Amino acid sequence: MASTSRTRRGRGRGRGRGRGSGSSSLPPPPSTLPLIIEEFFIVVCEDPLVKKKLPNKFADYLHGQEPAKVYLRAADCGPRLWTVEVLFDGQGRMYLDKGWEKFAIAHGVDFGWFLHFKYEGDDVLTVKVFDGTMCRRYYYSDGEDTDDESDDDVKPCIHPL
């Protein structure tokens, strides 16, 4: 008789929990809300100086308002903006092209690094750079807040030790 009671006790375990009418307790997300993509990241898996592909969802977000160029601003590196031309390949893919190399050199971007982008609007992207140890690199400006268009020399931001 003892074995029968053990069997009965275990039979109903977990039954009925969360099932109810068959619907989830969370409502489905409203389909009327616009998709807002304002932050994304890329991992540098190839030559850090060649054009960089941005996520397709971000390119889709800009559909119909594709900029010819964007302005990169390194987080914590002053107001300096780096002008980078944008390339759309006609198949929905978006790349950071001419001007990316200068930004990458100035910030020491290397293979395996993680780059976090935040879209600030008005074609401005703020970039946080994480090195191969996955630690964030902090930069500061040398006080010259000029745009790089008027100057062919790369003035690197400095990473404090």
Side-chain angles (χ1 to χ4, degrees):
M1 183 122 184
S3 65
T4 307
S5 64
R6 278 188 227 151
T7 306
R8 286 184 185 170
R9 248 189 320 187
R11 285 183 68 198
R13 224 176 200 175
R15 294 184 77 198
R17 293 184 184 183
R19 292 190 183 190
S21 65
S23 64
S24 171
S25 61
L26 296 175
S31 60
T32 58
L33 292 177
L35 179 63
I36 299 173
I37 307 293
E38 56 181 39
E39 293 186 70
F40 58 89
F41 69 89
I42 61 173
V43 178
V44 180
C45 296
E46 56 187 30
D47 182 349
L49 303 182
V50 300
K51 66 184 177 188
K52 291 291 159 247
K53 182 182 177 296
L54 300 183
N56 291 341
K57 279 191 177 183
F58 182 66
D60 292 345
Y61 176 69
L62 296 178
H63 182 72
Q65 301 174 32
E66 295 91 347
K69 54 188 162 185
V70 293
Y71 305 94
L72 302 183
R73 183 180 73 78
D76 304 320
C77 195
R80 181 172 185 177
L81 296 175
W82 299 76
T83 304
V84 178
E85 290 182 12
V86 177
L87 172 68
F88 288 90
D89 68 358
Q91 297 182 359
R93 291 184 291 253
M94 176 180 181
Y95 298 87
L96 296 177
D97 198 20
K98 186 178 176 190
W100 167 254
E101 181 178 1
K102 285 184 177 185
F103 180 88
I105 289 170
H107 295 86
V109 176
D110 204 354
F111 181 82
W113 286 24
F114 178 97
L115 307 172
H116 174 268
F117 292 82
K118 182 175 182 184
Y119 184 61
E120 305 287 353
D122 296 325
D123 303 329
V124 175
L125 291 165
T126 297
V127 185
K128 291 181 184 175
V129 179
F130 296 79
D131 64 21
T133 67
M134 290 297 146
C135 292
R136 181 158 169 216
R137 293 178 58 101
Y138 288 88
Y139 301 92
Y140 64 93
S141 177
D142 64 0
E144 293 184 32
D145 297 330
T146 60
D147 192 319
D148 63 322
E149 286 187 273
S150 62
D151 156 4
D152 288 334
D153 295 329
V154 174
K155 292 189 173 93
C157 290
I158 301 166
H159 179 265
L161 297 177

